Amino acid sequence: MPRPTPAQITYGSATVVFSTLAMLLLSQTASGLGIAVIAVAALALGLFVAVTFPVPRASRRPRAPRQRTPLPTEPRLSEHSLHG
């Protein structure tokens, strides 16, 4: 399985945080069981968003081969040429 991209992690985490806050505020629950159910639902929703977020794919179009520039054909001095 490929690693998640930073965008997937960001969107999944933001979904968990905001959906948890929204569900807690809308339900006005105070019981531990209600909070646990909301937390599990938010985690599932965040995971769903992270997994379904589109992943950039490699281009299907074949690339043109890179053209190499020829190296200059200047004569090179050897390392011993400085010793006279």
Side-chain angles (χ1 to χ4, degrees):
M1 182 171 175
R3 290 180 140 175
T5 63
Q8 287 176 307
I9 294 172
T10 302
Y11 279 108
S13 299
T15 301
V16 169
V17 170
F18 290 122
S19 63
T20 303
L21 288 175
M23 286 188 277
L24 285 173
L25 290 174
L26 291 173
S27 69
Q28 297 179 353
T29 186
S31 69
L33 181 62
I35 293 173
V37 168
I38 288 173
V40 169
L43 286 172
L45 183 62
L47 181 63
F48 176 74
V49 168
V51 169
T52 59
F53 188 77
V55 179
R57 295 185 180 173
S59 175
R60 294 183 183 174
R61 187 173 39 144
R63 291 185 177 183
R66 276 186 17 185
Q67 303 230 349
R68 291 188 165 201
T69 56
L71 295 174
T73 57
E74 300 172 3
R76 299 184 96 190
L77 301 174
S78 69
E79 61 183 88
H80 300 292
S81 64
L82 298 175
H83 296 291

